[in-house]
Amino acid sequence: MGDNIIIRVQSPDGMKKIPSTKRETAATFLKKVAKEFGFNSNGFSVYINRNKTGEVLSQNKSLNLLKIKHGDMLFLFPSASSSSSSSGEVMDTATPHTSSSLPSISSSFSSSSSSSLIPRSSSAPQVQEDQIDQYLAKQDGKIYRNRDPQLCRHGALGKCVHCVPLEPFDEDYLNHLDPPVKHMSFHAYLRKLTGGADKGKFAALENISCKIKSGCEGHPPWPEGICTKCQPSAITLNRQKYRHVDNIMFENHTIADRFLDFWRKTGSQRMGYLYGRYTEHTDIPLGIRAEVAAIYEPPQSATQNSLELLEDPKAAAVDEIAAKLGLCKVGWIFTDLLSEDTRIGTVRYTRNQDSFYLSAEECITSGYFQNQYSNPCRLSRDGYFGSKFVTVVATGGPDNQVHFEGYQVSNQCMALVRDECLLPCKDAPELGYAKESSPEQYVPDVFYKDKDKFGNDVTFLARPLPVEYLIIDITTTFPKDPQYTFTSTQRFPIENRDILGETQDFHSLATYLSQCSSASFLDIVSDFHLLLFLVTNEVMPLRDSIGLLLDAVKTSNEELAQTWKKSEQWATIEQLCSTVGGQPSSSLGYEAMGGPAAPASSSAMWSCLHCTFMNQPGTEHCEICSLPRS
């Protein structure tokens, strides 16, 4: 009996105990494992370590000689050929996952250090994480310190408590940075979860749900019945310890200035989507930076005090173009500006600690966008957790100049918005309101903690709710040395600015090309708004033939750009521009003296002043909108 031992074998389908003996050969033991798990003799591999090292081979050596003892845990991995016919799930190890692409974000994941091992249950989906997550998972992440000449009493190769590397989630280190960092990075938070002796074996990221669980058959459905099994838990709002994005950086001031031009000329507020990429933010351990390369302004209706988004038929095309340029939608930006003194260009300082930083309605909108663009995460059973989608507000600062403030809302806010449990207050923008349960919807209780007049911690029901409990602030910066993804020095009109008299048509394209006559072709076409026009215009859309040009802009390859310039499509574009080049821009419609523009020669094609359709010569009314030529 003293030779009898039990070996635990863990597989993607769970763990099983295999009875054996110390003198049993490895070949006999592997046959028992195959029979127990239902594999053929070569459909799996067994390793001593989780990271696929120390493989147990089919040989005549005894388990005792292989140093496999009673109670040891071995790890079984199905081979590629059998995994598809078996469970289809492979345990997470230090081997990188293959990368793939999401619709708007290039994504993949890998891990190389033992501290970043994130085991997952067999029910969790295979998830391809973002490219930046893949990169940061490979990094050591530790904060290395130099030898302290006063406190360290060891040699140059030694380490002590005063110079040993710190973990990336060390709160004392983050608090002593200048300025102090209130939120650790998301990857530092993952290292904290997966550190320790168990290497995160029992760690899991659970998405909050405010809905009743379906499938409970012990009682009638809500509102007739509910039980503790299907009832969602109450939510107590807490300050989130981490943030998914640690910094927002505009590549150059031109991007922001062109966006602000709309408010400067009309006084109405403006909204746009931020397109860029996620990179490493080195100022914070394992930090992530959202770099903004362009702003797309969708159709919208705006006044001085309101902003309404309209349906955008070009949204899918914009995302497709951005993806081919190596960009993705990283956030949204809106203005909240009121002029104070137009002579010196100052604005009012309205968003501060005495009012609000984000209103409840803006928090709900941010939560909506963050739920739309969730963050792929393999540690979550749902395959996603949180979001990297950021919110930027252009508003007045303490010096009465325009400042850009970055925010995200917490994962708790995302859950409340996703399940339609949070409402804004009409007369108090700084307050939200947790809905009450109704026969149509059960809403769990939402609480927050605050101090009463005696300094005691008191729990309050979130009706109403200060939105400060939902907000995470993010530093927004501009680089000392400007960067340019799009290198064009001239400005092609921005989309959806017809109210300013700035339209995207072949008149404006002809004007733009005439201004860029001395620049190289790559610099001419390296403009985000110009590329959008070439793809989405109704006269000569190039959606299926512009791939080579987008590759040229992405890689800054002049040869590729010159190759595309010789195509029939660009020749047609040039012909259209030369045809309409002598006419006044349709964005003006009037000559300098104030009278109506004179029609061009009847022997050439003409562009409608109202819908920009290219009509055949000799016609006086547009074939599309039937409006007169002049």
Side-chain angles (χ1 to χ4, degrees):
M1 292 296 293
D3 288 341
N4 292 334
I5 58 175
I6 294 178
I7 308 299
R8 297 174 297 164
V9 179
Q10 185 176 359
S11 77
D13 295 325
M15 187 192 72
K16 294 186 179 182
K17 297 179 180 179
I18 310 296
S20 183
T21 63
K22 294 180 180 179
R23 300 178 181 178
E24 190 172 64
T25 62
T28 306
F29 174 74
L30 291 177
K31 289 180 180 180
K32 288 184 178 181
V33 173
K35 182 178 180 181
E36 189 71 25
F37 285 91
F39 286 102
N40 55 38
S41 58
N42 58 356
F44 66 96
S45 299
V46 175
Y47 300 90
I48 295 177
N49 301 314
R50 190 189 296 271
N51 60 357
K52 290 188 177 180
T53 58
E55 183 177 2
V56 180
L57 302 174
S58 180
Q59 53 187 341
N60 291 326
K61 287 186 178 181
S62 66
L63 299 181
N64 192 31
L65 289 176
L66 295 176
K67 297 183 179 180
I68 298 176
K69 303 183 295 296
H70 174 68
D72 281 357
M73 172 83 78
L74 303 181
F75 302 92
L76 182 147
F77 293 88
S79 62
S81 59
S82 63
S83 60
S84 59
S85 60
S86 179
S87 64
E89 293 287 341
V90 181
M91 294 174 61
D92 290 325
T93 67
T95 305
H97 291 272
T98 56
S99 62
S100 68
S101 293
L102 293 172
S104 61
I105 305 176
S106 177
S107 58
S108 54
F109 186 85
S110 71
S111 172
S112 62
S113 62
S114 61
S115 62
S116 61
L117 279 170
I118 306 177
R120 181 179 70 245
S121 67
S122 60
S123 61
Q126 292 282 3
V127 177
Q128 300 295 340
E129 297 192 342
D130 290 350
Q131 233 175 18
I132 183 62
D133 295 323
Q134 172 189 1
Y135 173 78
L136 291 176
K138 295 178 181 178
Q139 305 308 305
D140 178 37
K142 295 194 175 186
I143 305 160
Y144 289 92
R145 300 182 290 176
N146 296 325
R147 181 176 178 274
D148 192 313
Q150 296 181 345
L151 300 176
C152 295
R153 297 288 185 264
H154 51 74
L157 300 179
K159 291 290 182 182
C160 68
V161 293
H162 303 293
C163 61
V164 70
L166 301 175
E167 294 292 344
F169 48 83
D170 189 276
E171 293 187 6
D172 289 337
Y173 173 81
L174 298 176
N175 291 332
H176 284 85
L177 290 176
D178 185 23
V181 177
K182 295 185 294 183
H183 307 275
M184 70 179 75
S185 66
F186 181 61
H187 275 268
Y189 178 69
L190 291 183
R191 297 290 172 91
K192 187 175 183 179
L193 284 182
T194 58
D198 62 352
K199 301 300 180 186
K201 178 180 178 181
F202 303 105
L205 297 175
E206 295 291 339
N207 288 298
I208 301 171
S209 176
C210 303
K211 292 184 176 181
I212 296 176
K213 294 179 182 178
S214 58
C216 194
E217 301 176 353
H219 53 79
W222 174 265
E224 281 75 22
I226 194 171
C227 68
T228 55
K229 292 182 179 179
C230 60
Q231 179 182 8
S233 301
I235 299 174
T236 300
L237 299 176
N238 298 307
R239 182 177 72 88
Q240 192 164 289
K241 296 181 179 179
Y242 58 89
R243 56 188 176 189
H244 292 271
V245 174
D246 304 282
N247 181 261
I248 304 168
M249 187 186 77
F250 289 84
E251 285 190 345
N252 52 75
H253 284 85
T254 305
I255 300 171
D257 286 339
R258 295 195 67 186
F259 176 72
L260 292 177
D261 278 344
F262 185 90
W263 172 79
R264 294 187 182 114
K265 294 177 181 178
T266 65
S268 298
Q269 307 304 331
R270 194 65 171 166
M271 176 268 182
Y273 290 117
L274 305 175
Y275 281 87
R277 59 186 68 84
Y278 295 109
T279 60
E280 182 184 14
H281 181 48
T282 55
D283 293 345
I284 296 176
L286 300 177
I288 294 177
R289 166 184 287 158
E291 292 187 2
V292 180
I295 300 177
Y296 168 72
E297 300 177 14
Q300 54 197 282
S301 175
T303 66
Q304 186 176 359
N305 301 311
S306 66
L307 190 63
E308 179 186 1
L309 286 179
L310 306 177
E311 184 179 357
D312 186 8
K314 300 179 181 178
V318 176
D319 287 341
E320 181 182 343
I321 296 168
K324 291 181 179 179
L325 290 169
L327 306 177
C328 63
K329 193 181 291 184
V330 299
W332 70 302
I333 182 174
F334 65 93
T335 61
D336 182 18
L337 295 166
L338 292 173
S339 294
E340 184 175 58
D341 191 338
T342 55
R343 294 172 300 173
I344 58 177
T346 56
V347 294
R348 293 183 188 176
Y349 179 37
T350 57
R351 293 179 180 246
N352 50 55
Q353 59 184 2
D354 298 325
S355 57
F356 60 89
Y357 294 102
L358 277 186
S359 68
E361 194 167 7
E362 292 159 0
C363 286
I364 293 173
T365 307
S366 297
Y368 168 78
F369 282 133
Q370 288 181 210
N371 281 310
Q372 264 194 325
Y373 300 94
S374 56
N375 179 51
C377 181
R378 64 170 184 165
L379 192 54
S380 170
R381 293 192 176 187
D382 301 319
Y384 63 88
F385 187 79
S387 173
K388 296 191 188 78
F389 200 85
V390 299
T391 298
V392 179
V393 187
T395 185
D399 56 355
N400 297 111
Q401 298 298 318
V402 177
H403 284 229
F404 293 86
E405 307 294 341
Y407 301 98
Q408 278 193 308
V409 295
S410 65
N411 292 2
Q412 290 179 324
C413 179
M414 289 175 59
L416 293 174
V417 172
R418 182 188 64 242
D419 296 331
E420 300 179 355
C421 299
L422 186 63
L423 298 173
C425 289
K426 183 176 182 180
D427 55 347
E430 72 276 8
L431 297 177
Y433 193 88
K435 288 173 63 175
E436 299 182 27
S437 296
S438 65
E440 293 78 23
Q441 180 186 9
Y442 175 83
V443 179
D445 290 330
V446 182
F447 301 98
Y448 68 94
K449 291 184 178 181
D450 201 354
K451 292 185 181 293
D452 61 11
K453 60 181 180 179
F454 303 108
N456 300 317
D457 288 331
V458 182
T459 300
F460 296 94
L461 189 63
R463 300 186 184 123
L465 160 70
V467 295
E468 285 83 359
Y469 286 84
L470 309 176
I471 298 174
I472 301 168
D473 61 308
I474 304 173
T475 306
T476 304
T477 58
F478 291 85
K480 292 182 179 178
D481 299 320
Q483 305 171 14
Y484 295 91
T485 297
F486 302 100
T487 57
S488 176
T489 56
Q490 299 298 325
R491 297 185 175 186
F492 188 76
I494 296 176
E495 58 283 336
N496 301 312
R497 287 194 174 185
D498 296 348
I499 192 174
L500 285 179
E502 299 177 7
T503 58
Q504 290 187 343
D505 54 24
F506 282 91
H507 296 289
S508 55
L509 178 58
T511 304
Y512 174 81
L513 293 177
S514 65
Q515 294 171 346
C516 302
S517 57
S518 61
S520 67
F521 182 71
L522 179 62
D523 289 338
I524 292 174
V525 297
S526 185
D527 184 288
F528 186 70
H529 307 287
L530 170 62
L531 294 172
L532 292 185
F533 171 71
L534 294 177
V535 171
T536 59
N537 73 87
E538 297 179 355
V539 178
M540 181 68 182
L542 304 178
R543 189 167 185 173
D544 298 328
S545 56
I546 202 172
L548 186 63
L549 180 62
L550 296 178
D551 289 339
V553 174
K554 178 181 178 181
T555 59
S556 300
N557 191 322
E558 178 68 34
E559 292 183 4
L560 281 180
Q562 290 293 338
T563 301
W564 189 86
K565 183 181 179 181
K566 299 173 183 177
S567 64
E568 294 183 6
Q569 290 80 8
W570 182 248
T572 306
I573 294 292
E574 287 184 318
Q575 181 63 34
L576 290 172
C577 290
S578 64
T579 303
V580 302
Q583 299 183 31
S585 173
S586 62
S587 63
L588 300 177
Y590 284 86
E591 293 184 323
M593 299 302 293
S601 171
S602 60
S603 62
M605 293 180 65
W606 57 276
S607 174
C608 176
L609 300 178
H610 310 281
C611 70
T612 72
F613 180 74
M614 298 297 298
N615 291 274
Q616 296 297 324
T619 57
E620 295 299 327
H621 289 78
C622 177
E623 297 178 16
I624 296 299
C625 64
S626 300
L627 292 174
R629 181 173 184 173
S630 57

